[in-house]
Amino acid sequence: MSERDIALAAARVLRECFIQTAKSNTVLYVENDNLMSKAPDQAPVFIKKIKGRNPYIVRETTSKKTFKLKKRCIE
């Protein structure tokens, strides 16, 4: 199994988890540099515009091999 296959499988699992959670709870997500909130059986609500991307940070993160993700509980 190649790294690409592993990444695709992980993406499918994350997508399924997001869909299941969105059906029963309010979720936050980013779409086109906008923070959105989606409650079950309601239209997405715009929360705030995310500030422009910093090209320096983009170059920094693309050159690194490992990323650290912090799990946070947002209510």
Side-chain angles (χ1 to χ4, degrees):
M1 188 176 243
S2 69
E3 287 184 27
R4 182 172 190 232
D5 294 334
I6 294 170
L8 288 172
R12 279 190 217 106
V13 170
L14 286 172
R15 187 179 319 117
E16 292 293 324
C17 290
F18 180 83
I19 291 169
Q20 291 298 324
T21 303
K23 288 180 181 178
S24 59
N25 297 316
T26 300
V27 292
L28 295 175
Y29 63 97
V30 176
E31 181 178 316
N32 298 328
D33 290 339
N34 295 323
L35 181 63
M36 307 292 284
S37 174
K38 171 85 170 81
D41 300 327
Q42 293 183 1
V45 177
F46 171 79
I47 303 289
K48 74 180 253 183
K49 175 97 173 132
I50 297 175
K51 293 183 180 180
R53 298 180 187 163
N54 186 340
Y56 175 74
I57 293 174
V58 171
R59 272 182 277 144
E60 276 291 308
T61 55
T62 55
S63 65
K64 293 183 181 179
K65 302 272 186 207
T66 305
F67 299 96
K68 291 184 181 179
L69 301 175
K70 293 183 181 179
K71 184 176 180 181
R72 297 178 188 218
C73 182
I74 300 173
E75 295 188 29

